[in-house]
Amino acid sequence: MKVLVTGGLGFIGSHTVVELQNEGFEVIIVDNLSNTSLSVLDGIKNITGKTPAYENIDLREKDKVQDFFKRHTDISGVIHFAASKAVGESVEDPLLYYENNISALIYVLQQLQQKPDANFIFSSSCTVYGQAEKMPITEDAELQQAMSPYGNTKAVGEEIITDTAKVTNINAILLRYFNPIGSHPSAEIGELPIGVPQNLVPFITQTGFGLRKELAVYGDDYPTPDGTAVRDYIHVVDLAKAHVIALQRLLNKKNIAKVETFNLGTGTGSSVLEVINSFEKVSGKKLPYKIVGRREGDITSAYANTDKANNVLGWKAQSTLEEAMASAWKWEQKIRS
Ligand code: WQD
């Protein structure tokens, strides 16, 4: 079974390619290397022994997308990761995000709708919930006005897929990630933030390694137990495995809806201070940090109700916050060595 993974050299994409290969799928990656490096291919091969096929294509080039699907008519499923994903950057440059995240999605779907049977998995995000009313968050929670153009591209992307699946042979699963962290236990692949990390965990591990002076904690005046914001931090390998299970669900097509949505989290919320404590525990280091003002657009709390993912998809996150943090720290030390 041949599977196209767009953005397959990225953080979540590369971990998913490993799990797909472990399950015997033949993988072809399309990635324009805008937020990763070709060395990730070696990392994948070092883990699985197989180098996935790879083509450097920018999915914003419609003719290149058409040509790709003309040359690869035997693709049984597509997992679509390729997108820009920095919340802050999306506020500064919305059109970059709408062009990259929406037009690329449309061009891929236009190819899939021509096939007699198409299986499509979409990388979405809990950000579509904004600040949800009720914790833990279920899939039928109201979608709020997204907190950023990045989040809006995920919400609009879901709508585009849903509308298209209704009138084509495309079957889709929308996976709403909470906060992916950590790295493959082999430390052969992991998160490669370019420049100053926007996300909490890579900033922590870089600070722990001495690359950053201290962590700025964005606010301790939230209505949470310790005043810092709460998120659901999920090990990226757990997340990757969910994609394989979702693909197998689509391929088996046993009485499933045309479009299904699943929250992918651990079901447990952790505050920023708890994440810092988990780093200090697994590294044995004291993390220098200071409390500063809240970050624009941040929400107080988000963690997943995982019942549907556990009971319908048949997937459950296995790793603890500490195990995920330990893998992130191991990766940081590896890439700096
Ligand atoms: C987590 C918590 C910050 C950095 C976003 C997107 C989501 C996904 C992950 C792409 C927050 C605090 C952070 C720092 C801090 N996107 N923080 N100091 O904002 O929950 O989610 O990234 O994959 O779709 O919405 O993740 O890691 O940026 O922040 O105090 O230097 O850590 O305020 O409470 P976020 P994050």
Side-chain angles (χ1 to χ4, degrees):
M1 285 276 195
K2 191 171 178 181
V3 183
L4 164 62
V5 181
T6 72
L9 293 181
F11 174 40
I12 305 167
S14 56
H15 286 83
T16 301
V17 168
V18 163
E19 300 307 325
L20 285 166
Q21 290 189 324
N22 288 344
E23 286 300 311
F25 287 99
E26 182 194 349
V27 175
I28 181 160
I29 293 170
V30 160
D31 199 306
N32 68 358
L33 303 180
S34 61
N35 193 21
T36 183
S37 90
L38 210 44
S39 64
V40 173
L41 269 180
D42 299 331
I44 294 169
K45 179 177 183 299
N46 293 342
I47 297 170
T48 66
K50 288 171 283 201
T51 303
Y54 162 67
E55 294 190 23
N56 183 339
I57 293 174
D58 188 325
L59 296 175
R60 287 172 292 190
E61 297 180 54
K62 187 172 182 175
D63 56 341
K64 297 269 175 48
V65 177
Q66 288 169 328
D67 170 64
F68 175 87
F69 279 91
K70 275 204 189 81
R71 288 184 288 109
H72 299 279
T73 54
D74 55 347
I75 286 171
S76 54
V78 176
I79 305 182
H80 184 61
F81 291 104
S84 302
K85 63 163 208 172
V87 172
E89 182 187 45
S90 79
V91 174
E92 277 139 43
D93 192 349
L95 288 181
L96 169 77
Y97 275 68
Y98 287 113
E99 187 196 32
N100 191 31
N101 295 8
I102 301 294
S103 59
L105 169 66
I106 290 170
Y107 297 156
V108 171
L109 291 174
Q110 283 173 333
Q111 297 308 308
L112 291 186
Q113 72 175 353
Q114 296 168 38
K115 297 167 78 74
D117 171 33
N119 301 296
F120 186 75
I121 293 174
F122 182 61
S123 165
S124 190
S125 166
C126 64
T127 200
V128 301
Y129 298 115
Q131 177 54 73
E133 293 291 308
K134 203 164 136 299
M135 293 300 133
I137 304 173
T138 56
E139 286 81 355
D140 57 2
E142 193 193 340
L143 301 194
Q144 312 272 342
Q145 168 60 24
M147 313 297 270
S148 67
Y150 158 77
N152 208 25
T153 66
K154 293 301 182 182
V156 169
E158 290 192 4
E159 287 173 18
I160 291 170
I161 295 161
T162 304
D163 289 345
T164 307
K166 273 185 200 138
V167 294
T168 65
N169 300 317
I170 296 173
N171 293 284
I173 289 181
L174 313 176
L175 298 177
R176 291 176 182 162
Y177 311 155
F178 280 68
N179 287 58
I181 65 167
S183 303
H184 192 268
S186 66
E188 289 292 341
I189 54 174
E191 197 165 5
L192 285 169
I194 293 173
V196 180
Q198 299 304 305
N199 292 130
L200 178 64
V201 169
F203 202 104
I204 285 179
T205 55
Q206 288 192 12
T207 303
F209 199 82
L211 298 176
R212 309 279 166 206
K213 180 170 161 294
E214 63 185 359
L215 169 75
V217 173
Y218 296 140
D220 68 348
D221 58 349
Y222 285 99
T224 62
D226 66 18
T228 61
V230 171
R231 298 289 185 274
D232 185 336
Y233 297 93
I234 174 170
H235 196 302
V236 65
V237 172
D238 281 330
L239 196 58
K241 289 180 174 167
H243 289 74
V244 181
I245 294 170
L247 179 64
Q248 287 164 334
R249 180 173 173 82
L250 284 173
L251 293 170
N252 298 335
K253 272 201 198 38
K254 284 215 173 45
N255 42 342
I256 63 171
K258 287 285 281 174
V259 182
E260 293 184 304
T261 305
F262 296 97
N263 286 344
L264 297 183
T266 65
T268 301
S270 301
S271 71
V272 177
L273 290 179
E274 285 171 328
V275 176
I276 291 171
N277 292 339
S278 76
F279 172 75
E280 294 186 334
K281 201 164 168 196
V282 301
S283 66
K285 285 175 167 288
K286 196 91 188 84
L287 189 85
Y289 69 87
K290 67 174 183 244
I291 306 286
V292 299
R294 295 183 180 189
R295 178 172 66 177
E296 181 67 28
D298 273 356
I299 57 169
T300 300
S301 176
Y303 54 95
N305 178 311
T306 56
D307 292 348
K308 190 176 173 191
N310 300 163
N311 305 329
V312 177
L313 188 57
W315 164 89
K316 186 170 175 52
Q318 301 301 311
S319 299
T320 64
L321 172 63
E322 276 176 26
E323 286 162 342
M325 183 59 82
S327 70
W329 178 230
K330 183 179 174 191
W331 167 251
E332 187 69 61
Q333 292 171 292
K334 160 91 183 286
I335 56 177
R336 308 296 170 195
S337 59

